[in-house]
């Protein structure tokens, strides 16, 4: 007779679950959406660029997955409410939320950062997490369970020059995740944060294309290469699955050893 573990391995890890992935039109969000779909989840993918969203969900559907695209920004409350309602109308529930939407404002020191740039980064990276989570949690409370994974950055853990607004917003995401974990643990909702280091995504494309800038940065990484979106997606998958049933309030660094070797 086969063991329970052996039977579980033959099943899709997210079979029957419904996930919302913000910022799912490229990079980490795209990799997460595809990984979730491969593992049996129905995925609602959001982002600001409709054409890229359609490309992502077309690929998922081509592989027999279930996916829905809703274009818009996490800074827009009407869009957030539409995402939640369309998820419920199409799939009947929301089991997983991945708050991945984010932007950067790199290359400026604090005194060079104006109010507009600061407010824009914080609105997307931090308030966007608050806004989408606020809309999703009531439905998870009705179900008595859910998993929320917020995508942060090593910039919240170590000092990185030229990114004050980005670092502050991601530090806020870390603190917000801990507060969420305590707030909802007794309701069956688990909340964790993932802090990637340098990942080869469209956001990092200018850096990747400049070896003279990239080389000294990678010198701080024990594993001397950038990460991939798929590697981050694997960690997000674990935290979203029932295998992580006793995991909440955690900060999960995936950074090639950067935070243990920097300095």
């Amino acid at each position: 007779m086969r063991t329970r573990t052996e039977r579980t391995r033959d099943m899709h890890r997210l079979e029957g679950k419904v996930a919302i992935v913000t910022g799912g039109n490229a990079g980490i969000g795209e990799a997460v959406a595809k990984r979730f779909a491969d593992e049996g989840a129905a995925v609602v993918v959001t982002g600001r660029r409709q054409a890229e969203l359609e490309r992502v969900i077309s690929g998922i559907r081509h592989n027999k997955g279930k996916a829905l695209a809703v274009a818009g920004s996490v800074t827009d409350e009407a869009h957030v409410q539409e995402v939640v309602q369309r998820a419920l109308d199409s799939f009947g529930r929301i089991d997983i939320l991945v708050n991945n939407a984010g932007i950067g404002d790199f290359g400026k020191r604090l005194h060079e950062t104006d109010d507009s740039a600061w407010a824009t980064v914080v609105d997307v990276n931090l308030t966007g997490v608050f806004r989408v989570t606020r809309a999703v949690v009531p439905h998870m409370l009705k179900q008595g369970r859910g998993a929320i994974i917020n995508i942060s950055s090593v910039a919240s853990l170590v000092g990185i020059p030229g990114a004050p607004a980005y670092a502050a917003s991601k530090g806020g995401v870390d603190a917000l995740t801990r507060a969420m974990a305590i707030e909802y643990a007794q309701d069956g909702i688990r909340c964790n944060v993932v802090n990637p280091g340098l990942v080869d995504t469209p956001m990092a494309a200018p850096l990747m294309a400049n070896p003279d800038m990239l080389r000294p940065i990678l010198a701080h990484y024990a594993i001397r290469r950038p990460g991939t979106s798929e590697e981050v997606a694997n960690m997000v998958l674990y935290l979203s699955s029932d295998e992580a049933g006793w995991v909440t309030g955690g900060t999960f660094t995936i950074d090639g050893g950067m935070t243990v070797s920097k300095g």
Side-chain angles (χ1 to χ4, degrees):
M1 180 178 293
R2 298 189 320 150
T3 66
R4 180 179 177 181
T5 300
E6 288 170 333
R7 291 195 300 271
T8 300
R9 287 172 184 161
D10 291 339
M11 299 170 59
H12 292 303
R13 294 160 80 181
L14 302 182
E15 191 70 45
K17 295 190 177 182
V18 179
I20 293 175
V21 180
T22 71
N25 53 286
I28 292 171
E30 177 180 352
V32 168
K34 290 179 175 178
R35 191 78 171 90
F36 278 12
D38 287 344
E39 290 290 340
V43 186
V44 180
V45 187
T46 81
R48 291 176 295 169
R49 293 178 287 277
Q50 180 72 48
E52 291 187 14
L53 285 175
E54 292 297 335
R55 175 185 58 78
V56 172
I57 67 165
S58 293
I60 290 173
R61 290 172 176 169
H62 179 75
N63 291 325
K64 312 302 182 185
K66 298 177 182 178
L68 171 69
V70 187
S73 172
V74 295
T75 64
D76 178 2
E77 178 65 22
H79 164 69
V80 170
Q81 293 298 328
E82 180 188 8
V83 170
V84 171
Q85 193 57 54
R86 290 189 64 184
L88 294 171
D89 290 346
S90 298
F91 304 118
R93 57 187 295 120
I94 302 169
D95 301 285
I96 301 163
L97 169 62
V98 179
N99 283 305
N100 171 73
I103 60 172
D105 185 49
F106 304 115
K108 298 177 183 177
R109 294 192 288 175
L110 188 143
H111 73 280
E112 298 166 331
T113 304
D114 60 29
D115 284 6
S116 177
W118 177 276
T120 298
V121 171
V122 171
D123 196 18
V124 174
N125 294 2
L126 177 56
T127 309
V129 172
F130 157 75
R131 194 175 283 119
V132 181
T133 302
R134 179 178 61 185
V136 167
V137 160
H139 303 284
M140 290 184 172
L141 288 172
K142 291 176 184 177
Q143 296 164 188
R145 61 180 299 161
I148 300 173
I149 298 88
N150 297 327
I151 307 301
S152 182
S153 167
V154 293
S156 72
L157 304 174
V158 297
I160 295 177
Y166 183 78
S169 69
K170 293 302 188 179
V173 169
D174 289 9
L176 177 59
T177 305
R178 291 189 289 270
M180 289 161 49
I182 292 297
E183 195 79 56
Y184 298 112
Q186 296 301 308
D187 299 297
I189 301 172
R190 299 184 297 101
C191 306
N192 292 286
V193 64
V194 173
N195 300 68
L198 179 61
V199 178
D200 189 356
T201 65
M203 182 185 289
L207 178 58
M208 296 296 173
N210 189 328
D212 290 337
M213 291 180 61
L214 182 61
R215 194 177 302 111
I217 291 173
L218 289 181
H220 292 290
Y221 285 72
I223 301 175
R224 295 287 201 268
R225 65 168 177 84
T228 69
S229 295
E230 291 73 22
E231 287 170 323
V232 180
N234 287 335
M235 178 172 283
V236 176
L237 171 63
Y238 165 70
L239 294 171
S240 303
S241 73
D242 292 341
E243 296 166 23
W246 205 49
V247 181
T248 197
T251 301
F252 293 86
T253 305
I254 177 167
D255 66 353
M258 182 266 202
T259 51
V260 295
S261 62
K262 185 173 173 60

